[in-house]
Amino acid sequence: MIMAQTQTQTTAPTAPVFELIEVEQVFPVPRPGRPFMSRDTVGLRALDGVRLRIAQGASLALVGESGSGKSTLLRVLLGLDAPSGGRALYRGKPIREARAFGTGFARDVAMVYQDARGSLDPRMTVGALVAEPLRHFGIVPKGEEAARVAQLLDRVGLPADAATRYPSGLSGGQIRRVAIARALASEPSVLVADEAVSGLDVSTQAQLLTLLRGLQRDMGLTLVFITHDLGVASYLCEEIAIMYLGRIVETGPTDAVLSHPAHPYAAALRAAAPRFFEPIPEPLPGEIPSPLDLPKGCRFSSRCTAAQEDCRLRDPQLGQHGAGRAVACLHPLTETGAQASEIR
């Protein structure tokens, strides 16, 4: 009698959409006191040992003050700049290689720019702007372009007759919707948005955030949202990464991080957020140090009200802090005051 053999099939773990491994971005700038064109330069570390994993279908908010490195990190994620050090991967392959060969990356990763109006050609109608990715990637036959454009405009809450209008005749909220429709035209799996609701009135912001949240859920998009607004991050994204001076200092589920921040910088950002019917909170003490003259030890120690002596001597690395969380702090804000263990 022949015995059937059952083979156990092992499924390889799926590679994250984006993975940054000790990514650095150093820009040469003239040494202080030297002429602008001087060859005597020093390195400005815009990114310094960034570690980040973004899984398929995740929604991540990248938060930090101006000068924290969000825009530089965004350019690395999009493959616009090669990192000076470390590895920046897209689905397990170097991002620059994925961007350089074929059209897969360009179609799969769509971008909604902060200056949505400036990103659209004012000489083209809305219909032509949204149809351009359809033609570029050959998504639908030419005879079906008008119908697909109408579908995309409807998906973002714009009437079909908006296709005949020009960007100059649209409001700020309508322009953002056009930019989102154009981004969705390539049928991406990843949507990256840079301050996509900033500068809009509260009601329009709410409408756009609801739209983005619904699109992310219904289409299974991986969403990376760059913002300085913790309220926006809390509503839109399930995960958060907080940056300070070129490093990610805390990551984890958005609700957990904002409810019980472990890094003093995250706690300070949370405390500084305005609240209804309450006095305006005190701003963060001190100023962000210059990337050319970082303090010794923890780079937040010069502004941290809870800094201890070793904080000025040791440079903390991003380490695990409970389930699904990580923090770069020698003395994270916990009841036990336990030190985070370094991620290996």
Side-chain angles (χ1 to χ4, degrees):
M1 183 172 58
I2 299 175
M3 301 294 294
Q5 293 183 345
T6 302
Q7 294 182 349
T8 302
Q9 295 182 351
T10 58
T11 303
T14 303
V17 176
F18 289 109
E19 184 172 15
L20 304 182
I21 306 171
E22 299 296 341
V23 165
E24 298 180 354
Q25 190 65 286
V26 182
F27 298 108
V29 298
R31 191 177 297 276
R34 296 290 186 176
F36 178 75
M37 298 299 294
S38 172
R39 294 186 179 181
D40 186 8
T41 62
V42 294
L44 188 154
R45 291 186 170 272
L47 299 177
D48 189 8
V50 172
R51 283 178 280 176
L52 183 66
R53 290 169 60 93
I54 304 176
Q56 178 68 44
S59 55
L60 174 77
L62 189 62
V63 179
E65 295 174 289
S66 297
S68 61
K70 302 190 301 299
S71 296
T72 304
L73 181 57
L74 176 62
R75 292 186 63 84
V76 171
L77 284 178
L78 295 177
L80 300 176
D81 292 334
S84 305
R87 302 178 68 197
L89 306 176
Y90 172 72
R91 302 190 188 279
K93 299 180 180 179
I95 293 177
R96 295 281 285 184
E97 291 183 11
R99 182 181 176 88
F101 298 104
T103 59
F105 183 90
R107 177 176 175 177
D108 198 41
V109 180
M111 176 72 191
V112 178
Y113 295 91
Q114 180 176 3
D115 182 8
R117 192 178 297 275
S119 70
L120 303 176
D121 189 336
R123 300 167 297 180
M124 298 173 67
T125 64
V126 168
L129 288 165
V130 177
E132 191 173 37
L134 299 177
R135 292 194 299 271
H136 180 75
F137 294 112
I139 294 174
V140 296
K142 186 174 180 59
E144 299 178 13
E145 283 183 4
R148 180 61 64 88
V149 168
Q151 290 176 358
L152 289 165
L153 293 178
D154 180 67
R155 172 165 279 180
V156 299
L158 289 173
D161 61 6
T164 62
R165 301 171 66 181
Y166 287 87
S168 59
L170 302 179
S171 67
Q174 290 172 325
I175 281 291
R176 304 295 173 93
R177 292 175 186 270
V178 172
I180 294 171
R182 179 178 164 87
L184 296 178
S186 66
E187 300 179 345
S189 67
V190 182
L191 184 63
V192 181
D194 183 11
E195 300 282 7
V197 298
S198 63
L200 301 175
D201 62 78
V202 175
S203 61
T204 304
Q205 279 194 14
Q207 292 170 4
L208 287 173
L209 289 173
T210 301
L211 170 64
L212 287 170
R213 189 175 181 177
L215 291 172
Q216 193 268 334
R217 179 187 63 245
D218 297 341
M219 300 177 65
L221 293 171
T222 302
L223 177 64
V224 182
F225 197 89
I226 289 82
T227 183
H228 64 275
D229 190 323
L230 294 181
V232 169
S234 177
Y235 177 80
L236 186 60
C237 297
E238 295 181 353
E239 301 176 38
I240 193 170
I242 297 178
M243 290 195 71
Y244 184 76
L245 273 179
R247 283 187 178 174
I248 292 177
V249 296
E250 185 165 1
T251 64
T254 306
D255 290 345
V257 170
L258 296 184
S259 299
H260 302 285
H263 196 283
Y265 177 62
L269 287 181
R270 179 68 179 84
R275 299 176 178 84
F276 286 115
F277 311 115
E278 294 186 16
I280 296 177
E282 291 292 329
L284 283 169
E287 297 180 356
I288 299 179
S290 167
L292 297 174
D293 187 23
L294 292 172
K296 294 182 178 179
C298 175
R299 55 193 63 196
F300 187 62
S301 61
S302 61
R303 304 177 72 191
C304 182
T305 57
Q308 301 183 30
E309 189 61 31
D310 57 345
C311 297
R312 298 177 176 85
L313 300 175
R314 296 173 55 193
D315 188 10
Q317 302 299 308
L318 194 65
Q320 293 180 352
H321 185 76
R325 296 183 62 177
V327 62
C329 182
L330 299 178
H331 306 284
L333 303 177
T334 62
E335 293 182 358
T336 61
Q339 181 174 333
S341 59
E342 185 176 348
I343 293 179
R344 300 296 181 184

